[in-house]
Amino acid sequence: MDTLPDLRGFTLTFSLAETCGALAVILTVAWVGHFRNGFAWQERPSVQFNWHPVLMVTGLVYLYANSALLYRVFRSERKRKLKLAHAALNLTSLLLVMIGLKAVFDSHDLASPPIPNLYSLHSWVGLTAVLMFAMQWVIGFVSFLVPGMSGAIRARYLPWHQFFGLTIFVTACGAAIMGLLEKAIFTLTKKNDLPPYASLPPEAYLINFIGLLLAVFCCLVVFLLSHTGYRRQPQPEDEVLLRDTVID
């Protein structure tokens, strides 16, 4: 039996989530632009790194979350349209993530001397999230958008698709917060940069605030996606398509 819709609090929660997510993206751009010398590519490897936090927060956190929230916001749209929009937004997110990975690997490999890759827990957790994201997109595309797949198979796989999608999102948020902490430790605790017992510099406050925004955004998105009353209700055309086993 389908859960009856209960949209109380949805608009407020969604608005707060979008505000926190958008602010996290904007402040990440402001952080690297103001405190970390802006943006460059391979001619300045240390500055090329700055694309990494911006693209990861934008792609793997903000856009990825919104691709799932499409089903909560556009509740009356045909499912076929939502699936195409979901896949397209996730593909855009994945492309941004690939560029972000290229930036961080280049910043290590082209440094003088080179910096080892994948040496931190942040990098391990982050790469795990990216690999899961890529596999999730491919399997989801084959399962839900390629014609001819059995409707029964799609119905059985859907809960796993939703579970892994939420798992990837939470893992990505954790990796992003760990990355902010790692960057703060490496750049703000050098000799004469942060004397013992000194007050935090402005950059540290900004980094911490971005981390808090990401944590709040993560919690709000998880709530929106797990609240049964906010789920999209099946439409008549969904049932027809399911019986035809062309799309569930």
Side-chain angles (χ1 to χ4, degrees):
M1 181 182 294
D2 293 325
T3 303
L4 293 176
D6 180 6
L7 298 179
R8 289 175 297 179
F10 175 81
T11 301
L12 176 60
T13 307
F14 176 75
S15 299
L16 288 174
E18 288 297 308
T19 300
C20 290
L23 271 177
V25 173
I26 292 169
L27 291 180
T28 302
V29 174
W31 164 45
V32 299
H34 182 72
F35 291 104
R36 295 290 125 200
N37 302 314
F39 300 94
W41 202 239
Q42 293 179 336
E43 68 277 4
R44 298 173 64 193
S46 63
V47 181
Q48 182 184 5
F49 170 86
N50 293 341
W51 285 107
H52 178 70
V54 170
L55 294 177
M56 290 304 189
V57 170
T58 302
L60 197 54
V61 176
Y62 184 66
L63 292 183
Y64 185 82
N66 276 280
S67 71
L69 291 173
L70 286 172
Y71 291 97
R72 301 295 184 268
V73 178
F74 302 102
R75 302 169 54 81
S76 299
E77 287 292 332
R78 298 188 62 175
K79 200 168 188 181
R80 176 69 174 180
K81 292 182 179 180
L82 291 177
K83 286 183 176 184
L84 291 173
H86 178 73
L89 194 53
N90 270 331
L91 181 59
T92 301
S93 304
L94 190 57
L95 292 175
L96 294 179
V97 167
M98 293 297 105
I99 298 173
L101 285 180
K102 170 68 173 173
V104 71
F105 281 120
D106 278 356
S107 71
H108 288 179
D109 295 338
L110 301 178
S112 184
I115 301 171
N117 290 308
L118 302 175
Y119 59 84
S120 67
L121 180 60
H122 157 68
S123 61
W124 287 27
V125 173
L127 188 59
T128 299
V130 172
L131 292 175
M132 291 175 64
F133 180 17
M135 290 188 291
Q136 171 91 337
W137 191 90
V138 172
I139 297 173
F141 181 84
V142 172
S143 299
F144 299 116
L145 286 177
V146 174
M149 182 67 69
S150 165
I153 293 177
R154 288 171 170 164
R156 285 197 295 268
Y157 173 63
L158 180 59
W160 291 101
H161 183 76
Q162 294 170 334
F163 167 76
F164 282 111
L166 196 56
T167 299
I168 293 166
F169 172 68
V170 174
T171 303
C173 289
I177 292 171
M178 284 191 287
L180 290 170
L181 175 61
E182 181 181 302
K183 189 64 176 178
I185 291 173
F186 286 168
T187 59
L188 299 179
T189 58
K190 295 179 181 178
K191 188 176 180 180
N192 299 325
D193 233 6
L194 190 62
Y197 310 111
S199 60
L200 287 176
E203 183 178 1
Y205 280 107
L206 180 57
I207 291 174
N208 288 348
F209 189 58
I210 295 170
L212 285 176
L213 285 172
L214 290 175
V216 174
F217 179 67
C218 179
C219 292
L220 292 174
V221 170
V222 169
F223 175 76
L224 288 168
L225 294 177
S226 60
H227 193 298
T228 55
Y230 296 163
R231 290 182 178 176
R232 177 185 180 274
Q233 299 300 303
Q235 304 295 319
E237 63 269 17
D238 298 342
E239 300 301 324
V240 173
L241 290 171
L242 180 59
R243 289 196 300 269
D244 293 341
T245 68
V246 175
I247 206 84
D248 63 355

